[in-house]
Structure formats: structure tokens, C-alpha cells
Amino acid sequence: MTLTPTSLCSADGCCSGGEVIESLGPNCDSLRSRMALTQVSSNKCAGGFQKVFEHESVELKCKMKFAVYLPPKAETDKCPVLYWLSGLTCTEQNFITKAGSQLAAAEHGIIIVAPDTSPRGCGIEGEDESWDFGTGAGFYVDATQEPWKTNYRMYSYVTEELPKLINANFPTQPDRISISGHSMGGHGALICALKNPGRYKAVSAFAPICNPVQCPWGQKAFGGYLGSDRSTWEAYDATVLAAAYSGPQLDILIDQGRDDQFLSASQLLPDNLIAVCSEKKIPVVFRLQPGYDHSYFFIYSFMSDHIKHHAKYLNA
Amino acid sequence: MEANRGGRTFQRFSVDTNESLHFEPCEDTPSSPTGIEHDEDNVFMKEENESEMTSIRTRLQGKVAEMENFAGHLEEIFLTVEENFGRQEQHLEQHYNDVLQTLSQRHNERAAGLLEEKKSKMEALYNQLLSCGQALDASKELIETAQEIYRTPDKRVFLKTVIPIIKRIEMFAKEKVELTLSTKLEFETLPADLSDVKTMMDSINAIPAPSAPVINPQMSNSATQTSLRVCWSLFSDDTVEYYDLYYRPVLEDTPADGFCAPHVTTVKVKETHCTVTDLLPNAQYELWVTATNTTGISPAMIKQRECTSCPDAALIRWESGNTNPVDSYTVELSEMDTDGTQSTVTESIVAVPTCQCLIQLLSGRRYLISVRAVNVGGPSDKSDPVYISTSGTFFYFLEETAHPCLSISEDGFTIFYGDEELPISAMALDDSAFTRCVAILGDLIPVRARHYWEVEVDEGTEFRIGVAYEDTERSSYLGVNASSWCMRHILSSSRHKYEFLHNGWSPDLRITVHPVRIGVALDYERGTLSFFNVNLEQHLHTFQCHFRNYVQPCFSLDNPGSLTVHNAIEAPEYTFI
């Protein structure tokens, strides 16, 4: 069943996408279908609704699911949006069932959008071979190498297609968005914020991969998606991007479990990012949390601090 | 009409005034020598008599008026005497009540003391009795045992057992029995300290405030076109230092709004009369007199540097300013409008027993607050006011808590830790001063609400800032114990390190941009203490703690440098999300 956009929005017609389509004439039908969403599930949660939708993605050229949490405030007012990027092997489900974000989102009146971590079912050879490359490991880049470059365009999906889709279908304040994520998603959040100065009102991360060009995960993924020319990798490395950043002031909150096995395996490398940010005077508060690991138990423990951090800027 | 009063003279009514009312004896009018009226014939005589009668009548009318005045005067005196009596009686009663109360209290204390002494003596004696009894029993037992053995028929058994017994008896005999009493039988009588009762008794005879003087009615011919002679009197044994004479013209048309009251002129006078000059001719004037002596009290003095405030309240502290005892204080406050003018409405809080008062106020306003001391002589003049603004929280440092190496700026908001070595003599200070940590506390108002202040530091300053309980150990470092919470900055080889210390523990944090202006937000209800980089509006850390008591802001410098406190700032929105 396809739900038309109007049934999901408030009466004053926030479906700017729909209105734009009307004026486009003959192409409007196909465009409208591209903006169309299919609701997969809906559960009442913390006074609002945790929903999952599916759509045909233009960038990724496949069906994609994403989760949306609508706080109680969304019934009457437009709300700011927090984009959450999950880590390796995750789908849109992990965050909404394990992170405990809904209560804080409801309290602060924030919509949280959580996409999947890669295109799925594209039938690319080798996509399911490793858990840290291919399916579930999009690394939020736009691939330039075959056979990945047609579908693996997560960077554009997250920064372009998804926000347009969200703004067309939900009661949002389009200029009030922020971004966060965990591990590979933390890397995604940092690079999106650094590559789009002024676009995101706030950014935070849990155990992010801070310097992918220097760690095994990053080298494997970038090598596969971007080729062997390392200079092309730097455009997607938070530490490198921070060193060259110029734009409106950021305020980055990072939580890292001290007992995180990937920290000790030198996959995350937060010290490199901190050193660069200290040098470049980019405000970061980095908290090393004793006893915590890499799991969603760790994320759950500090999620409300992060949402408060985002709310400060989104609701200002 | 003839006035015949017989031949009596009138009593003279003199009441110790400067200008007594005189009554001269009335002259008898001589009766007609012939006794026969010859009206028609003696026209001139009749006219003469008539004129005489008129003059007599006029004089009599004058006298009547004078008498009426005098009667009124007497009434006033009567009332004054009543009043004086009433006051004296009340005064006396109160004073004697106080003395009696104190004496009765003393008696109770002494009686309780005696009872205690008796109890302890009895206990000691009883214990002695017990031990004597025990000794007695032991001896008896020993004797019986000896006797039994002595009676043993079997000589061999006797020989075996007799030696130890003999030994025991020998030992026992050697023991000296304590036969002296353990306590004295007499009770100690301490000399009674009734010096304060004596002071109270003496003060009963203190000089009461003088009663109001009474102005004499205006004498005829005592005024000229532009001057006036006023006299008054005091009808009691009052001691007076000086009089104040006030006068103002009585206007024909009183203005509708009553605001343009004519100017009141005051003259200080030592005598009981005064000639007032520079008056307007053909005008009416209103005059009154007050008498003043030393029984009144001086106004209190507000201690500016010990007043603190927050959006909902202010704490005002003052010095009594009097050597005589003060009964209570009255605090007066009036709000100031946005243009700086003082509101005409003054609120007061009366019967404040001590030299401080916590007043509830409305936030975001400005107030002028002053204090009066009150005793039996009435309230004093208003003290110099203190200006309180209820925007944000405001406080000064508690100077007596400062470590000897700290000095405070003139304005009271910056502390300096100097490089110089201090002499040992400077080290031995207040009990409340910090001795190891170069620290100082702030004087935060004791109100369980939200408070916010900012601290400005230099790049290289190593500091600790936060809050601590008032009784936090002065020989310990801030954050090391459970009674203080602070943010600590350490500079090691140009690398900035930060700790958020409580009970010696800190989370592990990295902060990339060094804060030079730190916002501190305290929320008693939520139990949080948060720190912010004010310039970036960046949240640094929040302690979650339950404050069982009031806390004071605390500041310390771990290396020579300075820091400045900025307060009375309205907390930014993001500080209390």
C-alpha cells in the first residue's frame, strides 16, 4: 500500500516536494513515485511513533529502508531532525531497538532519522564476503571503483537524497538538522559535518573511526571503493578534513569506551583527531568512559547526553 | 452692671513657665458715695460709669479668654503626664520582668548543678560501699575457710592445706584497706555571677526619651510683620540635649495633589524659646517642637561586602552601630523603577532579632534596602542604603577563608597568587583560612535555587573552580575530598589537561579549545553542577550530586596567577536545559 504524502503531514502542507512536483508537468508522476514512501511498521513509543519506511532510492538504485522517530511535538509543530548513522553490520533496526533514544527525543521534540548502512540486494559479487566491506559497510562514501560505483553512494544518499525525502514527507524544519553516529557511522557523521560547513547545527559521535586512512578498516574499505590513489581517500577522512577545515564554529561531543576492543586494536585512533582539533582550535569534548565497550550498551548509556547536546543547538 | 467681687484677691496661677499667666487682683469698684441714684441729673457721671464698665468688661473678657486658654493648656499637661506615666510604667514593668526572668533562669541552673553534684557524690560513695562490702565478704570467707581447715580431723590433710591458707591470710592481712571517703562531704558553692543582672538593674534607671514639649499659646504683641517669638515648656523631669523647632507657612489653597507641600524650616535650639525671623507678612504659620536626648539610637550600618543576592532573594548583613543594647531591627526596602527613580512604596520587615535578614524578592528588579535599629526610645534614622539587583546571582569572596598567599583586588572580584615567599608570621591566620591549597570561598546566598557565575582566567593559569561545603577541610586540596567539586586545569609542557574532581576521582576527558571564561551553573534541586566554555557556549562537564547542605563557590590557584569572578549575570538559556 502506498500512502500519499499528505496523510503524513500537518494541515498547512509542508509537503514542499509534492508542491514542486505539481509544477513540473509531465515528469511529475515519476518524480512523485520517487518521493513515495511505504510504511513498513509503526509503534507508539515514548508518546510519539517509531516508524520504518521503505522507498526506491535514486542514488543507491535499490529499495532502502530507514527508521523515523516522530516525537509528540510533531503532531502539531515542525521539528528539527537528527540524522543517526549506524556502524558496521547494522541495519535500520539496531538503533531503534537498542539505543534508547526515543525518550530523550520526545522530551526535546526532535525527529530522529536512522538509515541503513549500505545498499542491499544489489547482487554485486563479493558484497557479502566480509562483514567490514560491502553489505552493511557502506562507509558513507561515493564509490568510484567497479563494481561498487553504481550502488555504493551512501555519502550522497545521506547528504542529499534522504534529507529531501524526509522534508517532503514529515513535519520538519529543513534548516535545523544535526548528525551523529556510532563507529563507522561516527566517521560518517564527522565527515558529513566537516565537508558541509554550516549545514549541520550540531555533531556528535560514539567510538568513531577518526582516521580511516591510517587504520585497517579504512584502508580496506577505501581501497575497495575508491581505488589505490590515497589522495582520494583523504576527502573522506575526519582527521584530514579537520586539519583543513574552515567554516562556522563546530562543537563536537565524542564518547569512547575505554574497554573498547577496537580502540586497543587501533581501528579508531581518536588521539589523532584530538591532536588536530587542538591545533586548529576546533572545539571538541572527548570523554573516555571507563569500563565501557563498543556495544549498544555503551551507546544507550550516554545517548541522552548526546541528544541534549544536539537539542541545545537544534532548539536554540 | 457692676462687678462686685467682694474684697478677695485671686490666686496666682504660676506653673514655672517663663511667661506665666498673670492674674492681677481686680480692683473693687467703689460704690456710689451717696448711695442714691440720681440718673437723670448726673448725666456725666453715668457716661463716666458706662465707659468704665466697658473697659472693665473688656478686661474681663480678656481674662476669660486667658483662663480658657489656660484651661486648655492644663488639659494638655494633664494628658502629657498621663502619657509619661504610662510609658514609664511599661518601661519599668518590662525591665523588671527581664531581670526576674534572668534570676529565675540562674536559679534553675544552679539548682540543676547542685543536683548533679549530689548525684555524683552519692554514686562515688555507693561504689565505695560496694567495694567495702566485697572486701568484707572476702575476709569473712577466708576466716571461715581457715576455721574449717583448723577443725579438720585428719592431721595429714590439715598439714597439706594449711600452708596455702596461711599464705593467703598473710597476704590479705598485708592489704591495706582504704578507709577514707572517696568524696568530700561538703558541696562547693561557686560565687554567683550576677553581673549581667546588675547591669540590667542599672539600666532601669537609664534616661528615657524625653516627652513632647508643649508650645505656649501665642502672646499678643509677640509678633512683628516678619518675625515671631515662640516659647514652649517641658512638663517632666526629662533630660533634654536640644530642641528642634519646625515651621512652615499654612497655605490658603491646599494644592489638590498634596505633593507641593510648603517647605519646612528647622532650627536647632538650646533654650525653650526662639525668635523666628524672615517670615512673610500677613501669613499664618504652623509650628511644632521636638526634644532630643541621647536615649535614642544611631542607625545601623549595612556591611556592603557581606550582602549577597540571587534572582529570588537577598541576604543583608549589618553592624548594630550602637553601644547601647538594641531591641530589634527594621529592614526597609523599596523598588527602583527602570529610570532609576525610587518607588514611593516602602515595605518593611519589623522585629528582626539579629544583624542579618534574608528577604524574598522578585527577579529581574532593582531595590534599595536600608535598616533601622529600634530600642525603647523608638526607631533610629534610616541607615545608608544598599543597592540590590535581582538579575543573576551576586556574591563577594569570604575574605577570612583566603589562603595567606592570596590577595584580593579593590573591587573584591579578582584574586592574585603572588610569586613572593610570605614570611612565616603571615601564615598563622584564621581558623577558617585554607592552609595548603591556595584557595578561597565565595559567600553564596543560602537559597536552594539555580545559581550561575563566570570565572575569567589566563591561558597559563592552573586553577580549580567549583563549589564546596562551608565546612570543607581547610588543610586539604579542592576536589580531593567528598566535600568539594571542582574543574581543574593543569598545564604540562604547554599541553592543557583537565580534571573534574570530586572525592579524588575525575573522568577522563580531552578538551581541544582551552576555556578562558568558564560558566559555572549550580542547580540545587536537580543536584547538578555544570561547567561551560562561555565564549563557545560549549558544555564541558556536569557533576551529578546531591547537596545535603548549602555550598559555597570555591576557587584556587595552583600556580602564580590570577582569576576574576563575574557574577550578577543572567544564566544563558543553554546552562539549565
Side-chain angles (χ1 to χ4, degrees):
Chain A
M1 182 188 80
T2 307
L3 294 163
T4 55
T6 48
S7 64
L8 291 164
C9 306
S10 57
D12 69 0
C14 64
C15 320
S16 50
E19 281 158 22
V20 166
I21 288 167
E22 291 297 339
S23 64
L24 286 172
N27 280 332
C28 65
D29 277 337
S30 65
L31 267 171
R32 200 206 304 254
S33 71
R34 281 172 191 175
M35 294 285 206
L37 302 175
T38 311
Q39 184 169 289
V40 173
S41 68
S42 173
N43 300 85
K44 182 143 187 175
C45 184
F49 289 91
Q50 182 61 66
K51 293 174 182 269
V52 176
F53 291 90
E54 189 175 49
H55 73 117
E56 274 287 346
S57 165
V58 173
E59 292 284 352
L60 308 176
K61 300 199 173 38
C62 66
K63 274 200 172 60
M64 283 294 282
K65 291 204 191 106
F66 63 87
V68 178
Y69 176 73
L70 297 167
K73 182 181 169 192
E75 281 174 46
T76 51
D77 285 318
K78 299 202 185 175
C79 302
V81 183
L82 164 58
Y83 287 88
W84 169 270
L85 304 180
S86 294
L88 290 166
T89 77
C90 290
T91 65
E92 82 290 346
Q93 287 294 313
N94 310 67
F95 175 73
I96 64 175
T97 54
K98 293 179 170 189
S101 61
Q102 290 87 346
L103 272 172
E107 185 191 329
H108 295 286
I110 299 173
I111 293 173
I112 305 186
V113 174
D116 201 343
T117 49
S118 77
R120 291 197 187 256
C122 301
I124 302 171
E125 195 178 326
E127 67 180 354
D128 293 323
E129 250 171 48
S130 336
W131 62 273
D132 56 1
F133 183 76
T135 303
F139 271 86
Y140 304 102
V141 301
D142 285 342
T144 54
Q145 303 296 303
E146 292 287 10
W148 314 102
K149 67 185 219 195
T150 313
N151 303 94
Y152 277 70
R153 294 181 57 76
M154 286 300 288
Y155 178 75
S156 294
Y157 178 69
V158 167
T159 55
E160 303 290 334
E161 182 176 358
L162 192 58
K164 285 202 184 78
L165 190 67
I166 298 296
N167 293 336
N169 289 286
F170 300 99
T172 63
Q173 295 174 36
D175 57 341
R176 288 180 169 260
I177 57 172
S178 65
I179 193 159
S180 184
H182 165 244
S183 191
M184 174 184 77
H187 141 82
L190 290 170
I191 63 167
C192 287
L194 290 163
K195 284 164 80 72
N196 297 278
R199 177 107 180 273
Y200 296 95
K201 294 275 176 283
V203 54
S204 74
F206 291 82
I209 302 171
C210 299
N211 198 187
V213 305
Q214 304 269 23
C215 75
W217 273 339
Q219 287 158 353
K220 177 173 176 178
F222 288 176
Y225 298 133
L226 305 173
S228 49
D229 181 2
R230 285 184 171 226
S231 62
T232 60
W233 300 4
E234 291 178 354
Y236 294 104
D237 184 307
T239 302
V240 176
L241 290 167
Y245 179 79
S246 73
Q249 190 177 277
L250 293 163
D251 179 2
I252 307 175
L253 173 63
I254 300 176
D255 268 308
Q256 172 65 58
R258 188 148 70 193
D259 290 6
D260 185 331
Q261 53 174 315
F262 301 111
L263 178 67
S264 35
S266 301
Q267 292 279 22
L268 305 176
L269 306 172
D271 288 335
N272 296 359
L273 179 65
I274 292 166
V276 167
C277 288
S278 300
E279 167 109 22
K280 290 302 201 174
K281 306 265 186 278
I282 296 174
V284 173
V285 174
F286 173 85
R287 318 192 297 187
L288 199 60
Q289 304 288 7
Y292 288 94
D293 58 15
H294 199 70
S295 71
Y296 265 87
F297 293 111
F298 159 63
I299 297 171
Y300 179 97
S301 306
F302 301 102
M303 179 55 69
S304 58
D305 281 352
H306 281 246
I307 293 186
K308 217 192 242 190
H309 169 80
H310 286 264
K312 182 170 111 187
Y313 296 100
L314 291 175
N315 289 333
Chain B
M1 203 174 354
E2 285 186 347
N4 194 337
R5 295 203 178 94
R8 295 173 292 141
T9 54
F10 287 97
Q11 218 172 2
R12 223 187 140 105
F13 288 85
S14 165
V15 274
D16 290 338
T17 63
N18 289 337
E19 307 287 319
S20 317
L21 297 164
H22 295 278
F23 283 86
E24 286 147 307
C26 197
E27 282 156 13
D28 286 347
T29 49
S31 42
S32 163
T34 58
I36 300 161
E37 323 297 335
H38 296 291
D39 302 86
E40 285 123 13
D41 300 356
N42 212 340
V43 175
F44 289 117
M45 194 122 146
K46 183 177 176 204
E47 271 190 17
E48 226 178 76
N49 277 344
E50 271 182 7
S51 67
E52 216 183 306
M53 276 196 297
T54 322
S55 76
I56 292 172
R57 188 174 59 201
T58 324
R59 279 206 344 256
L60 279 176
Q61 277 172 352
K63 294 275 195 259
V64 166
E66 270 181 57
M67 274 183 70
E68 275 172 0
N69 265 341
F70 185 66
H73 210 166
L74 271 180
E75 247 183 80
E76 270 179 50
I77 295 167
F78 191 75
L79 285 170
T80 311
V81 169
E82 257 320 331
E83 236 182 76
N84 280 355
F85 165 74
R87 243 186 296 140
Q88 287 285 52
E89 192 188 36
Q90 211 183 38
H91 181 78
L92 206 66
E93 195 182 311
Q94 193 197 348
H95 248 103
Y96 273 95
N97 272 342
D98 288 341
V99 172
L100 284 173
Q101 227 179 37
T102 313
L103 277 176
S104 136
Q105 207 182 26
R106 280 311 151 71
H107 164 260
N108 287 341
E109 282 169 17
R110 287 294 290 275
L114 268 176
L115 198 65
E116 279 297 319
E117 226 187 311
K118 170 189 138 193
K119 265 200 214 154
S120 67
K121 283 192 200 293
M122 299 285 278
E123 244 185 74
L125 285 172
Y126 180 71
N127 285 335
Q128 212 178 19
L129 196 69
L130 275 180
S131 57
C132 275
Q134 280 168 358
L136 208 64
D137 286 337
S139 324
K140 272 201 198 147
E141 193 224 307
L142 197 58
I143 293 170
E144 273 170 41
T145 319
Q147 281 182 339
E148 234 187 81
I149 294 183
Y150 182 70
R151 288 192 225 109
T152 323
D154 193 332
K155 299 295 177 199
R156 262 179 298 153
V157 174
F158 171 80
L159 281 172
K160 260 200 227 156
T161 52
V162 81
I163 306 294
I165 294 293
I166 290 174
K167 277 212 165 54
R168 268 178 73 192
I169 293 177
E170 264 179 22
M171 260 178 59
F172 204 77
K174 281 209 197 99
E175 267 179 45
K176 279 184 81 126
V177 179
E178 189 62 60
L179 287 173
T180 53
L181 288 174
S182 60
T183 72
K184 286 195 285 203
L185 290 172
E186 302 86 30
F187 283 85
E188 263 181 64
T189 34
L190 298 160
D193 179 16
L194 291 171
S195 53
D196 52 347
V197 177
K198 182 168 185 302
T199 326
M200 288 174 80
M201 291 296 293
D202 284 340
S203 74
I204 288 175
N205 299 324
I207 306 165
S211 39
V214 178
I215 292 192
N216 295 359
Q218 186 174 6
M219 295 295 291
S220 42
N221 296 329
S222 60
T224 68
Q225 287 261 341
T226 53
S227 73
L228 183 55
R229 186 156 198 265
V230 196
C231 316
W232 55 87
S233 9
L234 204 55
F235 299 98
S236 65
D237 294 329
D238 286 341
T239 318
V240 178
E241 291 251 301
Y242 59 86
Y243 299 95
D244 278 314
L245 170 67
Y246 303 81
Y247 61 92
R248 66 164 172 228
V250 175
L251 299 178
E252 300 258 295
D253 320 295
T254 42
D257 56 20
F259 267 147
C260 314
H263 176 64
V264 177
T265 320
T266 316
V267 183
K268 199 159 163 171
V269 170
K270 285 271 185 185
E271 307 82 19
T272 56
H273 60 88
C274 178
T275 304
V276 183
T277 54
D278 292 330
L279 300 175
L280 301 168
N282 288 326
Q284 255 202 325
Y285 277 84
E286 202 182 326
L287 303 108
W288 61 99
V289 184
T290 62
T292 310
N293 71 5
T294 51
T295 294
I297 48 177
S298 347
M301 282 176 301
I302 295 185
K303 294 195 267 195
Q304 191 82 23
R305 291 276 170 111
E306 293 190 31
C307 294
T308 71
S309 65
C310 74
D312 307 311
L315 177 64
I316 312 291
R317 294 194 178 104
W318 57 86
E319 276 171 341
S320 98
N322 283 277
T323 45
N324 298 332
V326 175
D327 285 343
S328 71
Y329 297 93
T330 302
V331 177
E332 293 177 1
L333 55 139
S334 66
E335 211 181 300
M336 283 174 72
D337 295 325
T338 41
D339 58 0
T341 51
Q342 197 175 347
S343 152
T344 47
V345 176
T346 305
E347 288 172 44
S348 11
I349 302 161
V350 296
V352 177
T354 53
C355 288
Q356 65 176 47
C357 187
L358 184 66
I359 312 167
Q360 272 198 321
L361 299 170
L362 298 169
S363 69
R365 314 278 175 102
R366 298 183 304 161
Y367 296 87
L368 273 180
I369 301 180
S370 48
V371 176
R372 289 181 203 263
V374 178
N375 79 350
V376 68
S380 71
D381 288 333
K382 259 201 321 203
S383 68
D384 286 332
V386 68
Y387 165 78
I388 296 285
S389 164
T390 52
S391 294
T393 294
F394 180 83
F395 61 87
Y396 284 102
F397 290 117
L398 276 172
E399 296 192 14
E400 65 269 19
T401 62
H403 184 277
C405 290
L406 278 181
S407 53
I408 305 174
S409 65
E410 268 291 316
D411 66 2
F413 292 112
T414 305
I415 50 172
F416 302 93
Y417 176 9
D419 240 331
E420 325 84 44
E421 284 284 323
L422 278 186
I424 301 292
S425 55
M427 293 294 178
L429 275 184
D430 243 290
D431 272 341
S432 50
F434 283 94
T435 53
R436 286 164 72 199
C437 192
V438 182
I440 188 170
L441 296 179
D443 188 15
L444 185 65
I445 190 173
V447 170
R448 292 188 82 94
R450 286 178 175 171
H451 301 284
Y452 176 78
W453 62 93
E454 292 177 4
V455 184
E456 197 188 323
V457 291
D458 291 324
E459 275 276 337
T461 316
E462 292 190 319
F463 58 80
R464 296 179 203 229
I465 58 179
V467 299
Y469 290 125
E470 221 277 307
D471 58 2
T472 188
E473 277 150 47
R474 301 298 199 262
S475 59
S476 145
Y477 281 82
L478 294 179
V480 155
N481 48 41
S483 57
S484 55
W485 295 257
C486 65
M487 169 179 175
R488 182 181 176 199
H489 169 236
I490 308 158
L491 194 57
S492 64
S493 55
S494 75
R495 217 193 89 170
H496 297 277
K497 279 167 50 176
Y498 302 91
E499 291 178 353
F500 289 87
L501 285 164
H502 171 65
N503 221 356
W505 188 86
S506 165
D508 198 333
L509 272 111
R510 310 287 150 76
I511 295 173
T512 56
V513 177
H514 175 60
V516 288
R517 192 154 170 140
I518 297 136
V520 184
L522 169 67
D523 190 332
Y524 274 103
E525 208 172 319
R526 281 206 216 159
T528 57
L529 178 69
S530 304
F531 297 86
F532 300 89
N533 178 330
V534 176
N535 296 332
L536 303 177
E537 295 188 1
Q538 180 191 37
H539 170 254
L540 300 173
H541 181 71
T542 297
F543 285 104
Q544 301 273 2
C545 30
H546 168 64
F547 298 111
R548 56 177 158 78
N549 286 333
Y550 294 116
V551 289
Q552 304 288 30
C554 61
F555 313 87
S556 89
L557 292 164
D558 292 341
N559 68 351
S562 69
L563 66 79
T564 305
V565 174
H566 297 270
N567 52 29
I569 300 167
E570 208 177 303
E573 248 184 71
Y574 60 80
T575 52
F576 288 115
I577 295 181

